[in-house]
Amino acid sequence: MPELITLASPLDVGGVKIRNRVFLAPMSGITDEPFRQRAHDHGAGLVVSEMVASGELARGRAGCDLRIRHSGLPVHMVQLAGRETAHMAEGARIAAGEGADIIDINMGCPAKKVTGGYAGSALMRDLDHALSLIEAVVGAVSVPVTVKMRLGWDEDALNAPMLARRAEQAGVRMVTVHGRTRCQFYQGKADWRAIARVKQAVSIPVVANGDVSSPEEAATILEQSGADAVMIGRAHYGAPWIAGRVAAAAGMSALGIPQTPQALADYVVAHYEDMLSLYGMESGLRQARKHLGWYLDRHAVGVSAEQRKRILTSFEAAEVIRGLRQALAEIGMSTEMRSAA
C-alpha cells in the first residue's frame, strides 16, 4: 500500500518530533496510562491522555493527577476540556508543569454531559468563544497547543475549516478532525472527504479521524482527506495494538500482537494487574471491567454468558484472573487473533 508510506515518516508538531503518523485517539475512561503504554509499545506514533476537565484539574480534584502525570513515554500529550478561559489556562499550566510536551484542546466530544456544559463540540457553535479558550491556553504555556474538533455542530454548520484557520492564526500547531458532526454522534459513516476542506484551509498538520480500523482504511482516509496523519479511536477496544498494526503495515517495526491463546491471556492479565496497581484494588476493579469485557467480546470465542458475568462482576482479583485465563487460553481466540498468528 504505497499510500501508507507517508505514515512511517516522523512529524514535527511545534518542534516536538513524533516518531510516526498513526495516533491513538484520546478516549475518556479508556486511554489511561496502562492503555497508552501498550499502544505506544505496539507502535502508535503518538498517544493522548484521556480527556481531563480543566475546571476539576484547576481545583485539584482527586484523580486528575493520574490523568496528567508523565508516564515516561517520549512524548506526553494531555487533552483538556472546558468552557472557562481561566480554568483552561490554569489546567494547561498544571499539565505543562507535570511534563506535558503537547496540550490538546477538546472541541469534538459529542457526549451530552460535556456539550451540556457548553464544552467539547458545543464550542463549535460559538467560534469567538472557542478562540478565546485557544488564545488563553496558547498564552499560558510554551509547549505546542493542538485542537481536536468535528466537522461542525450539524449539517447546517460545517465550520471546521473556519475554526481550524482561526486556530492556526491563534498559534495552534496541529488540528485533528473527526469526520462527523456532533449531531451525528457515531452514527452513519465518517465523511473522510469533508476533512479535505480543513486541510485546504490551513498550513499546519491535519490529522484525520473516524472509522479507521485497518491499514486499508488508513490508506483510504489519507487519500480522501489529504491529511498528514491518521488518528484511531474506538477500533482499539479490546485491541491496544490497532494503531501499531497500521504503523507496521507502513513499514514501522514495533511490538507484535499476542500470537497464541496463552500469550493473549498473559497480555490481558498483565493489563488488568497494571490497572489495579494504578488505581488501587477497589477503583481498579471497576475501571478494568470495560476493558475486560471488550477483550472477552473480541477474543474469547465461546465464553458463556455466565462465565463472562462472573469475570466482570467479581470483587476478587484472583478469581477474575482465573476466569480470564480459562476464557482466553482454554476456550479459544478470535478469528482476528488466529489470522495474525
Side-chain angles (χ1 to χ4, degrees):
M1 261 173 284
E3 299 90 345
L4 287 180
I5 294 175
T6 300
L7 295 179
S9 61
L11 181 67
D12 185 291
V13 179
V16 176
K17 299 297 189 296
I18 312 301
R19 62 177 181 173
N20 70 55
R21 302 178 184 222
V22 189
F23 303 163
L24 169 69
M27 292 180 281
S28 183
I30 299 169
T31 53
D32 58 11
E33 186 175 318
F35 199 96
R36 296 196 307 273
Q37 181 68 61
R38 281 162 175 76
H40 177 270
D41 290 347
H42 286 296
L46 181 66
V47 298
V48 191
S49 79
E50 53 186 316
M51 179 179 68
V52 183
S54 60
E56 294 181 358
L57 180 59
R59 290 190 292 268
R61 181 171 176 177
C64 288
D65 57 330
L66 292 181
R67 295 189 176 196
I68 68 166
R69 79 175 188 182
H70 203 301
S71 57
L73 297 178
V75 178
H76 182 44
M77 185 170 179
V78 172
Q79 187 186 70
L80 296 178
R83 173 76 179 182
E84 303 295 331
T85 55
H87 288 162
M88 289 292 287
E90 181 61 17
R93 283 190 285 267
I94 293 170
E98 291 294 321
D101 300 293
I102 303 173
I103 303 293
D104 186 61
I105 302 175
N106 184 313
M107 295 190 176
C109 180
K112 291 181 179 178
K113 67 179 181 180
V114 176
T115 59
Y118 302 103
S121 56
L123 293 167
M124 300 194 74
R125 305 180 76 178
D126 185 349
L127 296 195
D128 288 341
H129 185 65
L131 262 292
S132 73
L133 298 180
I134 290 171
E135 291 166 352
V137 173
V138 170
V141 296
S142 59
V143 301
V145 176
T146 64
V147 175
K148 190 172 190 293
M149 64 185 71
R150 288 198 163 214
L151 297 176
W153 178 260
D154 57 28
E155 291 295 328
D156 295 325
L158 301 177
N159 56 2
M162 183 181 299
L163 174 57
R165 184 165 54 247
R166 294 183 66 180
E168 179 181 21
Q169 293 168 352
V172 161
R173 310 305 292 268
M174 181 175 76
V175 295
T176 299
V177 185
H178 182 107
R180 288 184 175 87
T181 66
R182 184 273 174 182
C183 289
Q184 286 179 280
F185 285 87
Y186 294 101
Q187 297 175 347
K189 183 73 172 67
D191 187 349
W192 296 341
R193 295 187 187 279
I195 300 172
R197 293 194 287 272
V198 179
K199 175 61 181 173
Q200 293 159 7
V202 298
S203 60
I204 55 177
V206 172
V207 184
N209 173 229
D211 294 345
V212 175
S213 61
S214 68
E216 294 77 16
E217 289 166 340
T220 302
I221 198 173
L222 279 181
E223 177 186 5
Q224 294 185 2
S225 68
D228 302 280
V230 173
M231 180 173 279
I232 305 174
R234 292 171 296 147
H236 285 96
Y237 291 1
W241 49 78
I242 293 296
R245 191 165 68 179
V246 173
M252 300 293 293
S253 60
L255 177 69
I257 67 176
Q259 297 289 304
T260 67
Q262 183 60 55
L264 177 62
D266 291 342
Y267 181 97
V268 174
V269 167
H271 189 175
Y272 178 61
E273 291 176 335
D274 283 351
M275 293 192 72
L276 297 182
S277 177
L278 176 67
Y279 295 109
M281 186 63 67
E282 182 178 352
S283 179
L285 285 168
R286 296 194 306 271
Q287 298 277 359
R289 283 171 179 159
K290 55 181 170 290
H291 292 280
L292 300 186
W294 290 326
Y295 280 125
L296 292 172
D297 291 343
R298 192 162 188 158
H299 308 297
V301 178
V303 65
S304 68
E306 181 182 353
Q307 185 176 7
R308 185 182 189 279
K309 182 178 179 180
R310 283 201 305 270
I311 293 170
L312 300 184
T313 59
S314 174
F315 289 95
E316 297 294 332
E319 181 180 358
V320 173
I321 290 171
R322 283 195 300 272
L324 286 171
R325 290 197 177 281
Q326 181 182 8
L328 294 166
E330 297 178 17
I331 291 177
M333 63 180 180
S334 65
T335 302
E336 174 189 2
M337 302 300 297
R338 291 196 299 270
S339 65

